[in-house]
Amino acid sequence: AEPSMKCSEEFLVGLLGESRHMGRNVCVAGHLHHGKTTLFDMLLEQSHDVDYEWLTNDKQLKYTDTRLDEQARGMSLKAMPMTLPLQSSRGKTMLFNMIDTPGHVNFSDEVTASYRLADGVLLVVDACEGVMASTTRQIKQAARDGLPVCVFISKLDRLIVELKLPPADAYHKLRHTIEEINAVIEAVYTPDVDGSTPTVSPESGNVCFGSALYGFSFTLESFAKLYMDVNGVFLDHAEFAKRMWGDVYYHSNSRTFKKKAPAGGGERTFVQFILEPLYKVFSQVVGETVESVSDALKEFCIKLKPKAAKSNTTPLLKMTCQNIFGTATGLVDMLIRFISTATEGAATKVERTYCGQVHSRGKLVGAMKACDPSAPAVVMVTKLIPKSDCSAFDALGRVMCGTLKKNDRVRVLGENFSPDDEEDCVVKTVSNMWVYEARYRIPVKEATAGSWVLIEGIDQSITTTATLVPEVMPKAYADEDLYVFKPLEFDIKSVMKIAAEPLNPSDLPKMVEGLR
């Protein structure tokens, strides 16, 4: 059965209206098979009522792999957007426009188109494999687009179950992976005014750990809060979190944190407070009896129901880890903190992608930089998504300013449009609009500045990207020259040429129309 959203559609549409201040536009990128699509399954479970029966066969949902060839190959081929209402650890629901991208090098054009819509990148890195070729390429592309990077180190379970690394070695493995990511960031990002580069680190909070397969994620700060709740102690969790990474040791006799290990020896705080409990949970659930699992969970104030205790290993492990370490809230908190809102990111987006004079005093440029919903509607279209019957395409775009409404007449400006050559321009009617949820759509009557929207009725004249403006500009904006957003820059050019002809020559006009 198709999962239903936990909140009502009216609530989601209400959030859509405030998304420029409250929401986040995030592109999820990473190397092939590093867990991006599984991460979307984890987020889907937080926002939708998912039927858990599929877990009994140890199958994965792979909700954003909607195409049959994606399901057959077990890999994403196309970027797939989802608009999700997600809760932070404080219980506040915010709207996230997120797009799942393919990790395979042959589909890097999908990543390029997705970056254009986003205000930040969530880089998914396999804890076991570390930084790979696509990881490096996607950091370089994020730097070119001026997007901040947050890191989700996924598949922590592989360190325990597959590599069988001791906790201390697992720490060094994770630390090495983060150092590799930072080495790439320092090489490609231009330093700030003060000379620093936007590196990532667990102490800063822009690195999140977890396992999407088992449905849990945590940052150092969310883990510090967990310790406070379980042990009933009151302390500054932010300060405690900073001491849970690096060469820091806890001295129990003096109850202090120091750079040197205790006299009798001891592990670093990340190993002692985080990895050892995690290893203990995995070993108890995988290898011990139900009674010993129940006893172990009592330490975390969690009581297993009799039905849950009889579950298979995968569902039981998933339920246990979610109850102890938290679901997606640690990840959501990180994205809220480190990725800018549409209003905050609009100026950077306009400066890097708009062909016009971005530092001029033009009203339209100013409205786009301010993400002003009362200005004329300007939409940046970067991707076409086919309808389920493949009869036509819907255009996925980001509303840069103004409010686009159903039945609006718009000018579709192609990539070759300029004030001197206005030939690449057609007038179309927006016949329908939706918010996309991968396998279903929610119809909307209007889309305000900062939001992502699927638009019907304008696809015939679009090849790759396009810019939508009102058919008739209001008087206050009429004197300003119109420009388009820059065409996408692809790192890897395709080298394939195909010759095709119809089996029946009389079908040639149909084929030409289809190719168009």
Side-chain angles (χ1 to χ4, degrees):
E2 208 64 69
S4 58
M5 200 175 283
K6 289 180 180 177
C7 67
S8 66
E9 288 187 5
E10 291 79 8
F11 180 71
L12 184 81
V13 172
L15 286 176
L16 203 65
E18 293 299 319
S19 62
R20 66 186 182 280
H21 299 310
M22 306 292 288
R24 299 291 187 277
N25 298 324
V26 186
C27 176
V28 180
H31 190 73
L32 180 68
H33 296 323
H34 275 207
K36 298 177 294 299
T37 304
T38 315
L39 170 66
F40 269 79
D41 290 349
M42 179 172 88
L43 297 174
L44 185 85
E45 284 180 42
Q46 182 161 331
S47 57
H48 289 67
D49 291 312
V50 180
D51 186 1
Y52 285 92
E53 285 183 11
W54 54 274
L55 269 176
T56 53
N57 304 320
D58 282 345
K59 282 184 181 176
Q60 286 179 250
L61 190 56
K62 298 284 182 127
Y63 191 78
T64 52
D65 284 351
T66 56
R67 295 161 56 107
L68 293 175
D69 51 0
E70 289 179 319
Q71 292 160 16
R73 295 178 188 205
M75 59 186 275
S76 301
L77 307 178
K78 292 284 181 184
M80 184 56 61
M82 286 192 79
T83 298
L84 297 167
L86 298 174
Q87 268 195 357
S88 68
S89 59
R90 294 180 178 179
K92 188 175 179 65
T93 302
M94 298 175 77
L95 198 71
F96 283 78
N97 291 315
M98 302 186 78
I99 189 159
D100 181 20
T101 59
H104 197 288
V105 62
N106 288 2
F107 310 113
S108 61
D109 56 328
E110 296 284 323
V111 182
T112 306
S114 304
Y115 275 14
R116 182 62 70 86
L117 295 171
D119 292 308
V121 177
L122 176 61
L123 189 70
V124 180
V125 182
D126 187 327
C128 195
E129 292 184 5
V131 174
M132 304 290 279
S134 287
T135 315
T136 305
R137 191 172 54 255
Q138 282 153 6
I139 295 173
K140 286 179 181 176
Q141 209 164 333
R144 192 181 70 192
D145 290 359
L147 300 175
V149 171
C150 290
V151 176
F152 178 62
I153 296 187
S154 66
K155 304 193 182 185
L156 277 187
D157 54 288
R158 289 189 71 188
L159 298 178
I160 306 166
V161 179
E162 286 182 39
L163 294 187
K164 296 182 171 61
L165 287 178
D169 292 355
Y171 163 77
H172 286 294
K173 173 85 174 150
L174 294 170
R175 186 172 178 171
H176 176 66
T177 299
I178 293 167
E179 284 170 356
E180 278 190 301
I181 294 167
N182 281 328
V184 179
I185 288 174
E186 286 170 352
V188 296
Y189 273 84
T190 51
D192 295 335
V193 181
D194 58 356
S196 61
T197 48
T199 52
V200 296
S201 70
E203 310 103 297
S204 303
N206 52 4
V207 175
C208 183
F209 302 93
S211 167
L213 181 64
Y214 295 109
F216 71 93
S217 70
F218 61 85
T219 57
L220 296 188
E221 202 162 310
S222 71
F223 219 95
K225 286 179 185 173
L226 171 72
Y227 264 95
M228 287 168 56
D229 295 341
V230 169
N231 297 315
V233 293
F234 296 97
L235 49 88
D236 187 342
H237 61 267
E239 288 300 315
F240 180 32
K242 287 175 186 174
R243 289 165 174 79
M244 275 206 276
W245 185 258
D247 297 325
V248 181
Y249 300 84
Y250 180 63
H251 291 247
S252 54
N253 50 0
S254 60
R255 300 182 74 177
T256 53
F257 294 93
K258 295 181 182 178
K259 294 280 184 184
K260 287 185 178 179
E267 294 292 354
R268 291 173 175 81
T269 47
F270 185 79
V271 178
Q272 182 185 345
F273 290 108
I274 295 178
L275 288 182
E276 285 179 354
L278 185 64
Y279 271 66
K280 185 176 181 181
V281 168
F282 266 79
S283 60
Q284 289 282 351
V285 174
V286 173
E288 300 293 332
T289 60
V290 174
E291 289 74 21
S292 65
V293 174
S294 300
D295 291 341
L297 292 183
K298 283 176 185 173
E299 290 179 36
F300 296 97
C301 308
I302 294 166
K303 189 176 180 183
L304 275 184
K305 292 178 181 176
K307 186 181 177 182
K310 293 174 184 173
S311 304
N312 291 345
T313 305
T314 303
L316 181 58
L317 202 49
K318 183 172 185 175
M319 187 168 33
T320 306
C321 291
Q322 283 182 340
N323 281 327
I324 296 172
F325 306 112
T327 52
T329 51
L331 178 66
V332 170
D333 286 349
M334 177 180 75
L335 296 178
I336 290 170
R337 184 176 163 193
F338 288 97
I339 291 181
S340 55
T341 62
T343 305
E344 293 163 350
T348 305
K349 188 66 69 183
V350 172
E351 285 166 14
R352 287 180 178 266
T353 61
Y354 193 57
C355 288
Q357 290 289 323
V358 292
H359 297 296
S360 69
R361 294 189 177 181
K363 289 189 74 174
L364 195 62
V365 172
M368 286 193 285
K369 282 184 171 181
C371 204
D372 182 3
S374 59
V378 178
V379 183
M380 174 171 61
V381 174
T382 65
K383 183 169 169 51
L384 296 173
I385 295 177
K387 290 185 178 291
S388 55
D389 60 356
C390 296
S391 59
F393 289 95
D394 295 315
L396 177 66
R398 170 174 169 154
V399 184
M400 298 303 293
C401 67
T403 303
L404 185 70
K405 295 179 180 176
K406 187 178 171 182
N407 299 324
D408 274 359
R409 296 274 292 170
V410 294
R411 291 170 71 192
V412 184
L413 311 182
E415 292 179 357
N416 299 318
F417 178 91
S418 70
D420 303 323
D421 180 9
E422 298 191 357
E423 189 180 342
D424 193 0
C425 167
V426 293
V427 176
K428 295 282 182 182
T429 302
V430 175
S431 55
N432 231 326
M433 296 195 301
W434 298 274
V435 169
Y436 205 33
E437 302 291 346
R439 298 197 184 187
Y440 69 98
R441 302 161 173 220
I442 297 171
V444 290
K445 290 180 180 175
E446 61 178 45
T448 55
S451 55
W452 292 1
V453 65
L454 265 185
I455 307 163
E456 183 187 70
I458 61 168
D459 61 302
Q460 288 90 347
S461 57
I462 299 174
T463 48
T464 311
T465 64
T467 305
L468 309 186
V469 295
E471 182 185 11
V472 180
M473 272 288 188
K475 277 187 180 179
Y477 299 85
D479 298 338
E480 206 171 324
D481 283 339
L482 286 175
Y483 290 88
V484 295
F485 290 93
K486 293 174 186 173
L488 300 173
E489 294 177 42
F490 299 115
D491 293 335
I492 299 165
K493 302 283 188 244
S494 96
V495 292
M496 186 185 292
K497 289 186 179 180
I498 294 176
E501 60 179 344
L503 288 171
N504 183 358
S506 64
D507 286 339
L508 185 63
K510 279 187 191 175
M511 179 177 159
V512 171
E513 177 62 28
L515 288 171
R516 277 207 191 101

